[in-house]
Amino acid sequence: MSDLHVLIAGGGTGGHIIPALAVARELVKRHGAEVLFVGTPRGMEGRLVPAAGFKLRLIEVGQLKNVSMMTRVHTLMDLPRSILACRQLIREFKPGVVFGVGGYASGPAMAAALWTHTPAMAFEPNAMPGLANRLVGKRVQAAAVNFPEAAKWFAHSEVTGIPVRPEFFKLEVPEGTRPRLLVFGGSQGARIFNTHVAQIVPALLDRVAGLTVLHQSGAPGLEQTQAAYAATGADPKRWQVKAFLDDMPARFAEAHLVMARGGASSVAELAAAGKPSLLVPFAAAADEHQKRNAEAMVKAGAAVMLEESELIVPGRLLETLSTLLTDPSRLAKMGERARMQAHPDAAERIADRLSGLAVAGNFP
């Protein structure tokens, strides 16, 4: 049995749990650690963590941000109970360090770590930290952030980046001169993409010689989006709508430009792949974190951003996409700038920092 025990807390979405699993694998590989996850029944961790071969304990805790007053009251009532549950878990598992990755379970676990004087490290993938990390940021012993803009919220932060699948870092510049646009709204698709890209696709294909479009719609919007494309009369040989894209590194490799949301994981994959992008952040994201992520990529020269409200402005989306797709030199420069934002050793660095905190066993 390993001497190094690490409790990883949080989840909810893939943006939280997928990087956490990458760090967990490195902890096992590099340090022989025993890793235990703590999450909630409603998060993706319930499926992904056991599938990856790690143990998972569940606690009951809900949302505080962007929810009804009734939900907020229930969450506040559950919070003391969830903190006590995490304190008991810490006493049983005896972790050398607690790693909070954001999401529902992260806050109670980090609070319990501070209560029990267990070294704690926060992970913040967004340019604007979530509520849980903002509350504990100045009290944790370390933090791993993706954007320098987030560092000010933590007392002991390091820009490590987000763990990304190694395949994204191995992609070459796409071959051929015919431009290819990848429209990717996340695993569930983005209804606003499905609607507005379909509306402009005939004019876009006319303006950009040889262009082909691959559009990931999500399962709920597949038939409607396919019908919308077909109804425009656009050449069906030059567009394709799919519910899911299984091999995302391969799809990224083929694309000259990616239209995407501003989620931290998507932005990290774009950086790793060295892909220029048009980012349209989800307007309802908590604390406008997707907008902050997109703004950071724009500042780096790696992306162009349109807000959701701009998609309904006549001609704005068409003009933006056609301008980018007809300027290969600009796309190449944006791709280079994107690559400069990548962190290929993120998982290793985070795992090593966690191990160091556990070994030190005290506060800096």
Side-chain angles (χ1 to χ4, degrees), residues 10-22 24-25 37 39-56 58 187 265:
T13 67
H16 293 298
I17 201 63
I18 291 173
L21 287 170
R25 294 185 188 100
F37 281 79
T40 68
R42 68 178 63 85
M44 291 181 67
E45 59 269 25
R47 177 172 56 87
L48 296 180
V49 169
F54 293 100
K55 296 178 181 178
L56 173 67
L58 300 176
S187 60
S265 294

Side-chain angles (χ1 to χ4, degrees), residues 19-322:
L21 287 170
V23 172
R25 294 185 188 100
E26 289 299 324
L27 283 166
V28 173
K29 176 182 175 182
R30 296 168 71 86
H31 303 287
E34 183 175 348
V35 178
L36 175 65
F37 281 79
V38 57
T40 68
R42 68 178 63 85
M44 291 181 67
E45 59 269 25
R47 177 172 56 87
L48 296 180
V49 169
F54 293 100
K55 296 178 181 178
L56 173 67
R57 294 282 291 272
L58 300 176
I59 62 172
E60 285 292 342
V61 64
Q63 290 177 274
L64 283 171
K65 294 286 291 183
N66 297 338
V67 292
S68 68
M69 180 60 70
M70 184 63 70
T71 300
R72 196 174 304 171
V73 168
H74 280 302
T75 297
L76 289 171
M77 292 176 64
D78 283 339
L79 199 54
R81 189 182 305 113
S82 63
I83 294 173
L84 286 170
C86 288
R87 186 182 71 162
Q88 182 61 32
L89 186 57
I90 288 173
R91 287 178 171 175
E92 294 174 5
F93 185 59
K94 296 180 174 59
V97 61
V98 176
F99 185 38
V101 299
Y104 305 135
S106 185
M110 296 293 269
L114 295 174
W115 187 2
T116 59
H117 299 287
T118 304
M121 179 174 174
F123 173 65
E124 183 49 66
N126 295 301
M128 178 62 184
L131 178 62
N133 276 346
R134 295 204 304 274
L135 291 174
V136 303
K138 296 297 185 180
R139 301 180 62 193
V140 295
Q141 286 65 62
V145 303
N146 184 37
F147 293 101
E149 292 86 344
K152 66 183 180 181
W153 294 93
F154 301 93
H156 307 282
S157 63
E158 178 182 354
V159 180
T160 61
I162 299 176
V164 173
R165 281 183 285 170
E167 294 87 344
F168 281 101
F169 293 96
K170 301 173 184 178
L171 304 185
E172 302 290 339
V173 175
E175 297 180 355
T177 57
R178 292 187 174 185
R180 291 184 286 270
L181 170 66
L182 172 61
V183 180
F184 175 61
S187 60
Q188 298 300 310
R191 184 181 299 177
I192 196 168
F193 286 11
N194 296 349
T195 299
H196 291 285
V197 177
Q199 290 175 351
I200 67 161
V201 74
L204 185 62
L205 295 178
D206 285 343
R207 288 195 184 191
V208 185
L211 174 68
T212 55
V213 178
L214 175 60
H215 187 130
Q216 189 265 337
S217 65
L222 176 62
E223 292 183 5
Q224 186 175 1
T225 307
Q226 286 178 332
Y229 268 75
T232 66
D235 183 355
K237 294 180 181 178
R238 297 178 62 186
W239 60 264
Q240 189 174 21
V241 176
K242 287 182 169 289
F244 302 105
L245 300 176
D246 294 328
D247 190 349
M248 286 307 297
R251 301 303 189 179
F252 271 48
E254 297 167 352
H256 292 81
L257 176 68
V258 180
M259 179 176 172
R261 288 300 205 175
S265 294
S266 294
V267 168
E269 290 171 351
L270 288 165
K275 289 297 171 182
S277 58
L278 170 61
L279 299 177
V280 184
F282 179 46
D287 303 306
E288 293 190 315
H289 71 263
Q290 288 206 9
K291 183 178 179 181
R292 301 288 177 258
N293 296 345
E295 287 173 340
M297 293 297 279
V298 172
K299 183 179 178 181
V304 170
M305 183 182 80
L306 289 178
E307 296 195 45
E308 285 188 350
S309 59
E310 294 181 272
L311 295 192
I312 65 174
V313 177
R316 181 66 60 83
L317 179 59
L318 173 61
E319 187 64 32
T320 303
L321 285 173
S322 59

